Amino acid sequence: MKRGSTIFLKIAVFLIGVIVLSLCIFFLPWLANDTAEMFPEFAFLQYPVLLGLYLTTIPFFVALYQAIRLLKLIDNEDAFSESSVNSLNLIKYCAITISILYVIGSILLMSQSALHPGIAIIGFIIFFASVVIAVFAGVLQKLLRNALDIKSENDLTV
């Protein structure tokens, strides 16, 4: 693979991380305060919702780090290695964790009658995207594992 395409992907992953981090630092607290002022009957949910959203960023940033690590392995022409399989495995579990956290958050908001349809749609989109990423990472992990097995068989044959 050409180095330019991995540089582009590294920049994209880095920008995604910076955007999400800046949203977490600046936009989410403002949005939580604004929403608490607009809907005082749900103001008690301000900090639990913020905590839940911040909890989902932990596996998100772990997955971004693993993506950068995977791209570095591709750059070093070490894509077919156990490290790549481990990175894909971590990305898969991070995506599953994000999905589970969003389902739990949606259930908790529904139990408080505070799940606005717009919030539910955004939560469903994030849930669906996380599931797709988990499945895709799982398929790539299995494919890479099979390639490693074939490679090791060929190394033993020669």
Side-chain angles (χ1 to χ4, degrees):
M1 181 178 276
K2 290 191 176 188
R3 193 161 176 85
S5 58
T6 57
I7 289 173
F8 172 74
L9 289 174
K10 285 179 186 176
I11 291 170
V13 169
F14 179 76
L15 285 176
I16 289 170
V18 168
I19 289 169
V20 169
L21 185 62
S22 62
L23 285 174
C24 287
I25 292 172
F26 301 112
F27 182 69
L28 282 180
W30 171 82
L31 182 65
N33 285 333
D34 194 47
T35 305
E37 289 174 5
M38 286 176 50
F39 303 102
E41 65 272 12
F42 297 117
F44 69 97
L45 291 172
Q46 175 182 359
Y47 295 112
V49 169
L50 270 177
L51 178 67
L53 289 173
Y54 286 141
L55 276 177
T56 61
T57 61
I58 295 169
F60 177 78
F61 285 116
V62 170
L64 285 184
Y65 172 74
Q66 291 302 318
I68 292 284
R69 190 168 165 239
L70 191 59
L71 289 170
K72 284 182 183 177
L73 287 169
I74 292 170
D75 274 346
N76 296 335
E77 295 182 2
D78 198 22
F80 294 99
S81 66
E82 198 63 37
S83 296
S84 297
V85 174
N86 292 338
S87 289
L88 286 169
N89 191 38
L90 268 169
I91 290 170
K92 177 179 72 173
Y93 284 122
C94 287
I96 291 169
T97 302
I98 291 170
S99 299
I100 290 170
L101 288 172
Y102 269 89
V103 167
I104 291 170
S106 296
I107 291 170
L108 290 175
L109 286 177
M110 224 181 315
S111 72
Q112 298 295 318
S113 300
L115 188 61
H116 186 274
I119 295 171
I121 289 171
I122 292 170
F124 179 74
I125 290 170
I126 293 171
F127 168 78
F128 183 71
S130 296
V131 168
V132 168
I133 290 169
V135 170
F136 186 68
V139 168
L140 284 178
Q141 179 189 8
K142 188 173 183 178
L143 183 66
L144 195 56
R145 171 66 62 204
N146 289 342
L148 281 173
D149 290 343
I150 291 170
K151 181 182 172 190
S152 66
E153 284 179 21
N154 285 341
D155 289 343
L156 291 175
T157 304
V158 173

